[in-house]
Amino acid sequence: MKTRIVKAIGDPEADREVMEEAGRIIRSGGLVAIPTETVYGLAGDALNPRSAGKIYETKGRPSDNPLIVHIADTGSIGRIARDIPDMAYRLAEAYWPGPLTMVLNKTDAVPKETTGGLDTVAVRLPVNKIAREFIAASGGYIAAPSANLSGKPSCTRASHCIEDLDGKIEMIIDGGEVGIGLESTIVDLTEERPCILRQGYINEEMLHSVLGDVRTDPPESAHPKAPGMKYRHYAPGGVLSIVKGKRESVIARINELAASHKERGESCAVISASENASEYGNVIVKDAGSLRNEDEIARRIFSILRELDSDGVQYIYSENFDTPRLGAAITDRMNRAAGFCVINATEED
Ligand code: TXA
Ligand code: MG
């Protein structure tokens, strides 16, 4: 298949032709990769069971892993979700449009193929203008997992989508680099006590301020409530470990490990905060951004994992980016990428 790669800027006039074409593709059961504020998505018609099947097949994703349904306005929610609790409207008021997904009970309009067999549906109203033009032009209900092939880091630029999807889907819409770089926060509202299933830009404190009570699904649970959290994610080709502890101990330990890889003739890289980047020797240094700018670290992290993959680096050590606002979300993604291999550099000092 020939994949059309087109640009959009988020202006309805300028994007009209692209959106008309994209809408036709979606309505006839095809797939389009689209930018959102979090990561790029692989979009299909959420109400068409065959589109869901195509999404699973294209990504190489297990079909029990449900898809998020994206809408363009809050009013669309009634067709796909039922028994919507008051707390959903409060969250929508506070954080929609934006990087927040809510799990609700589904209506019969949503095929089981889209929800991986579940009776619930995950719903998100993105803030990205291109995404919303696209959803509106495509019938209003778009299933979109992250656009990466299953197991690869999420796509934060159109070039990542081209790497993974060129020749496999009808169209890729290039909207430039995404703003956030981490997938949306997911909160389950189907039980009395709301539960965070995936950490993201809308952090625990922000949810707490609206909901009062909120709990978190444990990160290494064998039966996570978001089925996707049980699969190893974002795994780079090399062996990735997270090194945590006091700054000096982390730097010393990584330098020690890097030196031993060098001795054995193995390639090695470190993912470092800008503040520490000049402290490392014998090693490729990937600067993730300043600890004073955690938004930059969040935005860059998946792209760095992809770069390390294409460089074919064998061993990767990452500092632990436990920053105040986005630390929980960044750490979650990095720990998963590392298969929860965490070295505590302070403990053994
Ligand atoms: O930011 C995002 O959410 C991006 C962009 C494209 O919108 N999408 C995204 O989708 O990250 P995906 O498919 O990569 O991750 C969706 C996660 C999976 O872990 C899945 O298991 C969970 O959401 N999920 C979807 N529907 C669910 C449901 N009904 N109940 C529980 N978890 C659900
Ligand atoms: Mg994903």
Side-chain angles (χ1 to χ4, degrees):
M1 182 185 303
K2 171 112 182 75
T3 303
R4 279 194 63 200
I5 298 159
V6 296
K7 283 201 191 313
I9 58 169
D11 175 83
E13 270 312 305
D15 297 340
R16 183 185 309 261
E17 260 175 55
V18 167
M19 294 305 161
E20 278 172 10
E21 173 68 14
R24 272 195 293 276
I25 293 170
I26 295 297
R27 278 192 295 271
S28 60
L31 304 183
V32 177
I34 57 158
T36 82
E37 69 274 22
T38 56
V39 298
Y40 275 75
L42 174 57
D45 181 354
L47 307 185
N48 178 349
R50 281 200 306 277
S51 300
K54 248 191 219 174
I55 290 175
Y56 290 123
E57 192 186 324
T58 305
K59 271 180 70 87
R61 172 173 175 138
S63 59
D64 69 343
N65 189 359
L67 308 173
I68 295 175
V69 179
H70 297 65
I71 54 179
D73 57 88
T74 310
S76 302
I77 201 172
R79 182 156 170 216
I80 53 172
R82 60 179 172 81
D83 311 327
I84 302 169
D86 178 56
M87 54 189 170
Y89 293 106
R90 278 189 279 137
L91 280 178
E93 178 73 29
Y95 302 123
W96 272 6
L100 175 71
T101 297
M102 300 190 221
V103 175
L104 299 164
N105 290 311
K106 81 171 193 70
T107 64
D108 291 341
V110 188
K112 286 256 174 148
E113 283 80 356
T114 297
T115 64
L118 298 177
D119 291 322
T120 55
V121 60
V123 190
R124 167 158 132 74
L125 172 51
V127 69
N128 180 288
K129 283 191 185 145
I130 301 171
R132 288 171 68 185
E133 281 172 9
F134 167 81
I135 298 164
S138 305
Y141 297 93
I142 288 298
S146 51
N148 55 287
L149 295 180
S150 208
K152 294 247 279 170
S154 295
C155 302
T156 55
R157 303 157 190 239
S159 62
H160 300 157
C161 299
I162 296 171
E163 260 168 44
D164 285 14
L165 299 170
D166 195 19
K168 300 186 177 125
I169 60 174
E170 282 79 0
M171 181 185 263
I172 295 172
I173 300 181
D174 181 351
E177 191 178 15
V178 300
I180 293 177
L182 301 171
E183 306 85 346
S184 62
T185 306
I186 304 180
V187 56
D188 180 8
L189 302 177
T190 60
E191 286 172 36
E192 214 161 295
R193 217 175 150 204
C195 179
I196 303 172
L197 306 186
R198 182 171 72 184
Q199 302 283 344
Y201 186 87
I202 306 295
N203 64 21
E204 202 166 333
E205 199 184 312
M206 293 164 81
L207 293 172
H208 197 265
S209 72
V210 175
L211 297 172
D213 185 32
V214 56
R215 66 186 186 94
T216 304
D217 212 25
E220 280 185 89
S221 158
H223 302 286
K225 286 205 69 186
M229 302 302 264
K230 73 174 175 271
Y231 298 105
R232 184 161 179 208
H233 262 81
Y234 326 121
V239 180
L240 169 66
S241 313
I242 313 300
V243 185
K244 65 181 210 180
K246 290 204 191 80
R247 175 178 184 266
E248 289 68 30
S249 318
V250 167
I251 292 167
R253 176 63 66 87
I254 293 178
N255 275 327
E256 211 176 281
L257 289 160
S260 66
H261 288 301
K262 188 172 186 197
E263 237 165 62
R264 293 198 289 271
E266 295 157 348
S267 58
C268 178
V270 55
I271 306 176
S272 154
S274 309
E275 285 82 352
N276 305 332
S278 62
E279 305 284 339
Y280 295 103
N282 293 317
V283 69
I284 302 163
V285 180
K286 295 286 182 189
D287 183 343
S290 167
L291 292 168
R292 287 189 305 270
N293 185 358
E294 48 182 318
D295 293 282
E296 184 185 1
I297 299 177
R299 189 163 50 238
R300 294 215 51 203
I301 208 79
F302 283 139
S303 180
I304 288 177
L305 290 175
R306 278 185 180 258
E307 277 170 36
L308 289 167
D309 249 356
S310 44
D311 297 351
V313 177
Q314 291 169 286
Y315 291 89
I316 307 158
Y317 297 96
S318 176
E319 294 175 1
N320 187 43
F321 300 106
D322 199 9
T323 52
R325 207 165 28 82
L326 303 180
I330 299 171
T331 306
D332 168 76
R333 304 311 189 271
M334 291 305 283
N335 285 347
R336 284 175 200 286
F340 294 93
C341 175
V342 180
I343 299 169
N344 192 331
T346 307
E347 228 161 50
E348 290 160 53
D349 278 358

